[in-house]
Amino acid sequence: MNKINNPTSSTVPTSHPSYGRSRFLQFLKVRVSHVATYAKKHPREFVVELLTYVFLCLWIVVVSKKLFAYTDFRQAMIDQPFEDRYGVILSYLLPIIQLGTAILFIFDKTRRSGFWLTVLHMAVYSWYIVLVLKKTWGFIPCGCTLEFPFDWKGHLWINGIIAAVAIVALLLDRKVKLPSQNGLRILTQLDTAETGPEAGLVERRVCQKT
């Protein structure tokens, strides 16, 4: 009888796994809801931010593949139709350039440079693929230097898509107002509440007058 009347006996203890899952799902739901709200209010800024993270992850993956299998990558560059010394130089230079491009996407002030460098990288790489497909050196070299599991022609299409997306990001980023270009700016900050299952994203609007 005491067991039935005890209101705390039917509650789920905080240490129970289902309690942790429910808190996490509620936390995730609030996060997604606020991100969706921000995307509706500021669609251009949201797309630019999303593409920034996409390119950051892309270049991190590309660089990681080279560094974790650097011996194979170096040999693949040497096996290309140009002189071996150029292959050795490129085996050092390409990871540095690609890592630098990834770093540019971390900071707001340098992300435009990251987009531009991405377009330039895709243009140069596509030019080399065109030379390969035209059999400039009399044969089609090994495709072991390709970043994605496609042949040379398929990789040319991938490069074109990546370059086009980067150009779109540049055009959208031009229309995102910077603090020095407008007197009234809406700053959106994503804050996390310290406690409680209602922890979410809080949008603050700060008006800066000229």
Side-chain angles (χ1 to χ4, degrees):
M1 192 70 171
N2 293 333
K3 202 172 183 180
I4 296 175
N5 294 331
N6 187 1
T8 60
S9 61
S10 60
T11 60
V12 179
T14 57
S15 60
H16 197 276
S18 62
Y19 179 79
R21 284 195 298 269
S22 63
R23 281 181 63 94
F24 174 75
L25 290 175
Q26 188 173 5
F27 173 82
L28 188 62
K29 183 179 179 181
V30 173
R31 284 274 192 281
V32 172
S33 174
H34 281 83
V35 169
T37 302
Y38 175 76
K40 290 180 181 179
K41 291 183 179 180
H42 312 287
R44 188 175 291 115
E45 290 86 344
F46 176 76
V47 172
V48 173
E49 290 292 335
L50 181 62
L51 293 179
T52 299
Y53 287 116
V54 168
F55 279 110
L56 173 62
C57 295
L58 173 67
W59 287 117
I60 288 177
V61 171
V62 169
V63 172
S64 298
K65 287 175 61 179
K66 290 181 173 62
L67 295 180
F68 287 124
Y70 179 75
T71 302
D72 296 336
F73 168 69
R74 186 174 183 273
Q75 186 59 47
M77 295 303 299
I78 294 175
D79 291 340
Q80 294 304 302
F82 36 75
E83 294 185 16
D84 291 354
R85 59 176 179 174
Y86 295 126
V88 174
I89 293 173
L90 287 174
S91 69
Y92 292 111
L93 192 60
L94 281 178
I96 294 175
I97 294 175
Q98 293 171 351
L99 180 60
T101 305
I103 293 174
L104 290 175
F105 285 109
I106 297 177
F107 308 101
D108 290 340
K109 293 182 179 179
T110 58
R111 70 183 178 189
R112 283 189 62 84
S113 299
F115 287 128
W116 276 115
L117 203 54
T118 299
V119 174
L120 179 61
H121 187 88
M122 293 299 108
V124 173
Y125 198 11
S126 298
W127 173 71
Y128 175 67
I129 294 177
V130 170
L131 295 179
V132 168
L133 293 176
K134 288 185 175 182
K135 298 183 179 180
T136 304
W137 294 276
F139 66 98
I140 295 181
C142 170
C144 44
T145 58
L146 297 177
E147 306 291 354
F148 304 102
F150 298 97
D151 58 6
W152 289 100
K153 190 173 182 180
H155 214 288
L156 186 62
W157 282 100
I158 295 296
N159 289 356
I161 293 173
I162 293 174
V165 173
I167 291 173
V168 169
L170 282 168
L171 294 176
L172 291 176
D173 192 51
R174 283 188 59 187
K175 297 180 180 181
V176 175
K177 295 182 179 181
L178 300 176
S180 59
Q181 295 175 337
N182 63 333
L184 182 65
R185 188 192 179 204
I186 297 178
L187 299 177
T188 303
Q189 299 176 349
L190 303 180
D191 292 343
T192 304
E194 295 181 358
T195 58
E198 298 81 13
L201 307 179
V202 181
E203 182 179 275
R204 293 179 178 178
R205 294 187 177 181
V206 181
C207 297
Q208 180 183 1
K209 298 181 179 180
T210 55

